[in-house]
Amino acid sequence: MTSFPPGFLWGSATAAAQIEGAAFEDGKEASIWDAFARIPGAILNGDTPDVAVDHYHRMPADVALMKELGLQSYRFSTSWARIRPGDAYTNQAGLDFYSRLVDELLGAGILPWLTLYHWDLPQALEEKGGWANRDTAYRFRDYAEVVYEALGDRVQHWTTFNEPFCSSLLGYASGVHAPGRQEPAAAVAAVHHQHLGHGLAVARLRELGAQNLGITLNLTNAVPRDPSDPVDLEAARRIDALNNRIFLDPLLRGEYPADIRADLAEFGLDTVSETGLVRPGDLEIIAQPLEFLGVNHYHDDQVSGHSLGGGGADDAGDPHGVKGGRAVSSPFVNAEYVTFPLRDLPLTAMGWEVHPAGLRTLLVRLGQEYPTLPPLYVTENGAAYDDVVSHDGAAADGSEGAEAVHDELRTSYIEQHVAAVSDAIADGADVRGYFVWSLLDNYEWAWGYGKRFGIVRVDYDTLVRTPKDSAHAYAAIIAAAG
Ligand code: GBH
């Protein structure tokens, strides 16, 4: 039996580059994803975000759909390249789009939950070094200020970054994400500069009156294959460090942990100096109090320090199902040797293990390990499956019935993870909300349109939206909890 505290917030999430399309309209210029998508082999089938699901032009209908499903909140991101395209000026038409979105949401009784950065750096800033350049952190603060000034009168919940792990280590070390660089030093610099950008933006938005500020991290339990094997334990320590603690500790404790400073000393993470990566005062800027921490969780990693004997995920050449086709390296700087053997669990279409108990463990652990932990929101959780469209009630005269998607696996994934959140709350975790990823099928980064996470199907020829069974099941969960 699941139960949730009064006021528990139910929503769903998307990101600008994955849904908007209109990639070069009304003054928007290229983001690093628009540029990356044009590199041969970077994205499965060469798919681009040019049109995506055309949300930019279909926004009012999409909000109406959210209302129909009973969503209480909608988590979306603003596109930096739409608002401060070359960073030299503000594009009013870009701000106007988000202003209309916010008004539409409020009119429908849906709480806007805004994220400033979901991976789509303006390409103009990448050309100046991107996140490896310290100056980008200051440019992020300026962009945050412009968005706040336009929307701060109506939007109460502000998230700085979505999953800095991905936009630093996947973008600058592994190369599987934009900008596709494979430079460990740049990746470590990107981690620190995103932290700094977060802190600078939090300080500025606070000055301007923001009251609910947070960040969203993708957190992943690193489970040692054999907990009595020191080689596996060391591998798990390193993966926990790079997936979780290199983000949590600066934000919540104001320091990089000693083991991480030692592992990454060659990149300058172990010293504070006027000219180095970490400068005097940086950690104070980074570690400001927050009102919430967003947790994105999809799967655990089982981790080993031994090479795989066969049958493991690495044998497919695609350890985590993130590769779209081009040669990529490990995102785990100085831990590239680590392997990720699969356990005997069901897999999603991404090749990710389904293990809801991992979410419960993670949410409980955070409260135990971080005394200053703010309230938690699960800001993403969901699953990709190869959906089958059926035509229910086809008539004898041969006319096709209504389209339906009976996605039992996604429905059960969501139900089990919602139950895991309820269990975590019963164990003492302070979780205040849950956002399913994703409202709509959309542009799944390096996988292009090849993986579907939506609770609403999008036909990529007609762009018609059809709620899947999981959307109706999720609506029922919300109605029952409320
Ligand atoms: C989220 O990230 C994103 O926020 C969202 O935009 C996306 O559509 C959604 O999930 C579905 O993918 O480092 O090689 O071990 C996904 C979080 C983090 C999950 C990295 C896979 C392992 C890759 N991902 N993780 S690796």
Side-chain angles (χ1 to χ4, degrees):
M1 193 48 214
T2 59
S3 81
F4 294 90
F8 191 88
L9 191 64
W10 297 95
S12 80
T14 64
Q18 294 183 272
I19 64 164
E20 288 178 1
F24 300 98
E25 246 180 88
D26 291 347
K28 178 175 173 296
E29 290 179 19
S31 81
I32 53 175
W33 277 93
D34 296 309
F36 185 61
R38 281 162 177 81
I39 299 174
I43 312 286
L44 187 68
N45 301 321
D47 289 344
T48 74
D50 290 6
V51 177
V53 299
D54 197 33
H55 171 72
Y56 188 79
H57 298 113
R58 291 160 197 259
M59 179 274 287
D62 286 341
V63 174
L65 184 54
M66 296 175 211
K67 186 176 181 181
E68 233 174 84
L69 296 175
L71 300 187
Q72 298 167 351
S73 183
Y74 174 54
R75 175 177 178 263
F76 63 96
S77 76
T78 50
S79 159
W80 189 344
R82 200 180 282 294
I83 293 171
R84 299 273 287 178
D87 198 53
Y89 63 97
T90 300
N91 178 37
Q92 189 59 41
L95 282 174
D96 289 348
F97 169 72
Y98 298 108
S99 186
R100 292 196 302 277
L101 167 62
V102 166
D103 286 343
E104 198 78 27
L105 290 168
L106 293 173
I110 298 169
L111 188 72
W113 194 284
L114 186 152
T115 300
L116 288 160
Y117 190 76
H118 199 126
W119 308 354
D120 45 357
L121 186 73
Q123 175 64 12
L125 288 179
E126 178 55 31
E127 282 159 16
K128 295 178 183 164
W131 286 109
N133 179 356
R134 184 176 170 96
D135 188 56
T136 301
Y138 295 86
R139 303 286 72 78
F140 176 74
R141 177 200 58 195
D142 296 347
Y143 154 66
E145 174 174 344
V146 163
V147 183
Y148 190 84
E149 278 171 349
L151 306 177
D153 58 334
R154 288 158 290 156
V155 175
Q156 290 170 22
H157 295 86
W158 292 80
T159 303
T160 53
F161 285 80
N162 175 74
E163 302 190 353
F165 170 90
C166 298
S167 43
S168 56
L169 298 177
L170 292 181
Y172 290 82
S174 140
V176 72
H177 278 186
R181 288 163 65 177
Q182 301 184 347
E183 303 162 33
V188 174
V191 169
H192 186 67
H193 294 150
Q194 291 189 18
H195 281 320
L196 183 64
H198 160 83
L200 291 167
V202 165
R204 179 59 59 88
L205 298 196
R206 260 297 166 241
E207 269 166 33
L208 296 173
Q211 294 181 6
N212 290 293
L213 293 167
I215 187 167
T216 276
L217 303 177
N218 56 300
L219 299 174
T220 312
N221 298 309
V223 184
R225 177 168 62 178
D226 177 355
S228 66
D229 178 344
V231 173
D232 286 350
L233 284 175
E234 166 65 3
R237 177 192 71 74
R238 283 174 173 270
I239 298 308
D240 181 47
L242 292 166
N243 257 330
N244 307 318
R245 292 185 291 112
I246 197 173
F247 301 100
L248 289 164
D249 284 54
L251 293 164
L252 299 176
R253 292 196 222 275
E255 63 187 23
Y256 289 105
D259 63 324
I260 297 179
R261 295 206 308 270
D263 291 346
L264 301 178
E266 72 194 85
F267 303 112
L269 214 61
D270 60 330
T271 47
V272 178
S273 79
E274 292 290 348
T275 52
L277 176 61
V278 185
R279 305 213 174 152
D282 281 4
L283 286 158
E284 290 69 31
I285 293 172
I286 292 166
Q288 294 168 70
L290 299 173
E291 281 69 39
F292 63 89
L293 174 68
V295 176
N296 291 357
H297 182 79
Y298 291 87
H299 60 82
D300 292 343
D301 280 341
Q302 183 178 242
V303 171
S304 173
H306 302 282
S307 57
L308 292 171
D314 269 344
D315 288 0
D318 189 10
H320 288 87
V322 293
K323 190 168 85 174
R326 176 172 153 276
V328 298
S329 14
S330 166
F332 299 109
V333 175
N334 284 0
E336 291 84 358
Y337 73 98
V338 172
T339 57
F340 299 90
L342 291 172
R343 297 173 288 184
D344 189 17
L345 291 166
L347 302 178
T348 69
M350 299 297 279
W352 298 346
E353 295 178 351
V354 179
H355 182 59
L359 178 55
R360 174 184 187 169
T361 305
L362 173 70
L363 294 169
V364 173
R365 168 194 162 187
L366 288 171
Q368 290 167 346
E369 291 186 8
Y370 293 92
T372 62
L373 188 75
L376 302 176
Y377 288 80
V378 176
T379 38
E380 284 182 30
N381 173 248
Y385 286 106
D386 297 322
D387 294 323
V388 176
V389 179
S390 49
H391 295 271
D392 290 1
D397 65 5
S399 65
E400 287 194 335
E403 276 204 352
V405 179
H406 302 305
D407 56 340
E408 294 92 351
L409 290 170
R410 184 178 292 103
T411 299
S412 120
Y413 182 100
I414 294 168
E415 287 173 349
Q416 291 181 65
H417 284 80
V418 163
V421 173
S422 157
D423 292 343
I425 293 170
D427 291 347
D430 183 8
V431 191
R432 307 272 179 98
Y434 175 93
F435 294 78
V436 72
W437 184 270
S438 180
L439 176 69
L440 302 162
D441 288 339
N442 61 45
Y443 186 69
E444 179 52 30
W445 308 112
W447 288 100
Y449 300 100
K451 301 288 176 195
R452 294 176 179 271
F453 275 88
I455 57 172
V456 173
R457 179 174 179 87
V458 177
D459 178 320
Y460 288 123
D461 295 322
T462 61
L463 295 170
V464 167
R465 279 81 161 131
T466 307
K468 305 176 190 177
D469 285 1
S470 56
H472 301 301
Y474 189 54
I477 290 172
I478 299 173

